[in-house]
Amino acid sequence: MTNKHMDRTFDSEQGIHTNFKEKMTYGDYLQLDTLLSSQKRLSDHHDEMLFIIIHHVSELWLKLIIHETQAAVAAIKRGDLQASFKMLSRVSKIQSQIIQAWDVLSTLTPAEYMEFRDKLGNASGFQSYQYRLVEFVLGYKTPFILKIYEKDPEVHQMLYHAYHAPGLYDVAIQALADNGFPINPDIVTRDFSKTYEKDETVEQAWMTIYKNVNQYWDLYQLAEKLVDIEDWFQQWRFRHMKTVERIIGHKMGTGGSSGVGYLKKVLDHPFFPELWEIRSKL
């Protein structure tokens, strides 16, 4: 497009605002100065910018996942399953975006990463408190994790609250009980700081729902939204593990974890076990 053509295009848009001396701009609204000045390399290596931006983007997506999932939990608690479906569907779409981020990071080669890895010190994605919040709301809770965040009382308190609060599956099970299914009362009133263990009464409730879809359409939809989220989350974990393996092999992580070994272990943990078990029994 020539400059003359561009000038004619803008001339035809007489309503476009150009004077922002006393008005809020796009950059002001998004606080772009703060956002775009946050990528501070600790080395002079070209690819450190990629490494920082990928993690910044992932943290922003995690923030939205937390925002939507917590709202979905509140909606399910008040019995508004339809409202929760929109939020949970959005979470699944966000997960597809966060998975693709690993494809970009995997363009970083081992030789390139070694040029700035020592600058990270003991900083590691293992310490991402937003990732832990997502795990907590999905029901995966491990007590030693909280110790990592004692340095920041505000973050520690936020995680402590989420650690003891009912997660997404807990409120889904409560919805089963509220709809008349004979759920084991010990499950409904359990200590939510403990990682959920599968229960026969919960499995039987889901089995009934899947065998009578039309009768329990809302609960069936809820179940499938949960399966979507776990499916995408495990795919995210797998891509994470393979990207780490591709870049550093089986070296120890910068945060002291076993790296690929740790990431492989968590792949085997289901969040909503009964929803996977019944697929073999239907």
Side-chain angles (χ1 to χ4, degrees), residues 133-150:
L133 278 172
V134 172
E135 281 195 330
F136 288 176
V137 79
L138 294 182
Y140 184 61
K141 299 179 179 181
T142 45
F144 76 92
I145 289 295
L146 290 175
K147 188 170 180 59
I148 297 171
Y149 307 98
E150 290 177 349

Side-chain angles (χ1 to χ4, degrees), residues 113 117 121-124 244 248 250-260:
Y113 183 48
R117 187 182 192 231
N122 293 130
S124 164
V244 171
I248 69 168
H250 289 265
K251 294 186 184 76
M252 181 178 287
T254 49
S257 75
S258 59
V260 169

Side-chain angles (χ1 to χ4, degrees), residues 31-46:
Q31 299 186 56
L32 288 182
D33 287 347
T34 300
L35 180 65
L36 299 179
S37 63
S38 296
Q39 294 75 43
K40 296 179 169 38
R41 290 183 293 169
L42 298 181
S43 73
D44 59 1
H45 196 277
H46 172 84

Side-chain angles (χ1 to χ4, degrees), residues 4-145:
K4 186 176 292 186
H5 187 188
M6 290 177 66
D7 288 342
R8 286 200 302 271
T9 300
F10 283 115
D11 285 344
S12 67
E13 296 292 336
Q14 296 298 321
I16 291 178
H17 296 285
T18 57
N19 183 352
F20 287 94
K21 290 181 180 179
E22 297 181 1
K23 298 175 183 176
M24 179 176 67
T25 65
Y26 171 83
D28 295 335
Y29 175 67
L30 295 177
Q31 299 186 56
L32 288 182
D33 287 347
T34 300
L35 180 65
L36 299 179
S37 63
S38 296
Q39 294 75 43
K40 296 179 169 38
R41 290 183 293 169
L42 298 181
S43 73
D44 59 1
H45 196 277
H46 172 84
D47 291 310
E48 190 182 357
M49 183 63 75
L50 161 69
F51 190 80
I52 294 170
I53 286 177
I54 286 294
H55 287 85
H56 275 174
V57 169
S58 295
E59 289 293 333
L60 285 171
W61 281 131
L62 286 172
K63 183 173 184 176
L64 188 53
I65 286 174
I66 293 162
H67 177 73
E68 297 294 340
T69 309
Q70 288 178 337
V73 166
I76 295 168
K77 273 185 175 180
R78 65 177 183 266
D80 191 356
L81 297 186
Q82 287 295 326
S84 76
F85 297 156
K86 175 66 179 291
M87 299 158 191
L88 295 177
S89 293
R90 183 174 291 164
V91 169
S92 293
K93 293 296 185 183
I94 297 165
Q95 288 174 300
S96 71
Q97 294 296 310
I98 210 168
I99 288 168
Q100 290 178 18
W102 295 121
D103 295 338
V104 182
L105 186 59
S106 67
T107 65
L108 180 68
T109 69
E112 290 161 348
Y113 183 48
M114 287 304 109
E115 291 290 328
F116 62 85
R117 187 182 192 231
D118 64 319
K119 298 295 185 181
L120 303 181
N122 293 130
S124 164
F126 184 84
Q127 299 146 15
S128 167
Y129 72 83
Q130 291 202 123
Y131 175 78
R132 297 304 173 189
L133 278 172
V134 172
E135 281 195 330
F136 288 176
V137 79
L138 294 182
Y140 184 61
K141 299 179 179 181
T142 45
F144 76 92
I145 289 295

Side-chain angles (χ1 to χ4, degrees), residues 68-244:
E68 297 294 340
T69 309
Q70 288 178 337
V73 166
I76 295 168
K77 273 185 175 180
R78 65 177 183 266
D80 191 356
L81 297 186
Q82 287 295 326
S84 76
F85 297 156
K86 175 66 179 291
M87 299 158 191
L88 295 177
S89 293
R90 183 174 291 164
V91 169
S92 293
K93 293 296 185 183
I94 297 165
Q95 288 174 300
S96 71
Q97 294 296 310
I98 210 168
I99 288 168
Q100 290 178 18
W102 295 121
D103 295 338
V104 182
L105 186 59
S106 67
T107 65
L108 180 68
T109 69
E112 290 161 348
Y113 183 48
M114 287 304 109
E115 291 290 328
F116 62 85
R117 187 182 192 231
D118 64 319
K119 298 295 185 181
L120 303 181
N122 293 130
S124 164
F126 184 84
Q127 299 146 15
S128 167
Y129 72 83
Q130 291 202 123
Y131 175 78
R132 297 304 173 189
L133 278 172
V134 172
E135 281 195 330
F136 288 176
V137 79
L138 294 182
Y140 184 61
K141 299 179 179 181
T142 45
F144 76 92
I145 289 295
L146 290 175
K147 188 170 180 59
I148 297 171
Y149 307 98
E150 290 177 349
K151 174 183 177 180
D152 188 330
E154 186 175 344
V155 168
H156 185 268
Q157 181 60 34
M158 178 171 52
L159 284 164
Y160 182 86
H161 174 74
Y163 185 79
H164 289 88
L168 181 59
Y169 200 44
D170 295 310
V171 296
I173 291 171
Q174 181 64 59
L176 296 178
D178 291 343
N179 279 272
F181 288 95
I183 301 299
N184 179 354
D186 291 340
I187 295 296
V188 175
T189 60
R190 72 186 189 88
D191 179 356
F192 298 119
S193 69
K194 307 295 184 186
T195 297
Y196 177 79
E197 299 287 342
K198 65 183 179 180
D199 178 83
E200 180 65 23
T201 63
V202 174
E203 181 176 310
Q204 286 304 313
W206 289 126
M207 184 72 80
T208 300
I209 289 163
Y210 273 76
K211 288 182 176 179
N212 300 275
V213 171
N214 292 334
Q215 183 179 351
Y216 300 109
W217 178 248
D218 280 358
L219 292 171
Y220 171 72
Q221 282 188 288
L222 175 60
E224 285 297 292
K225 298 299 183 190
L226 296 179
V227 170
D228 284 344
I229 286 173
E230 177 161 350
D231 188 353
W232 282 109
F233 194 87
Q234 295 294 46
Q235 290 186 53
W236 183 87
R237 279 176 161 174
F238 179 78
R239 288 298 296 128
H240 184 189
M241 181 270 292
K242 293 306 290 184
T243 303
V244 171

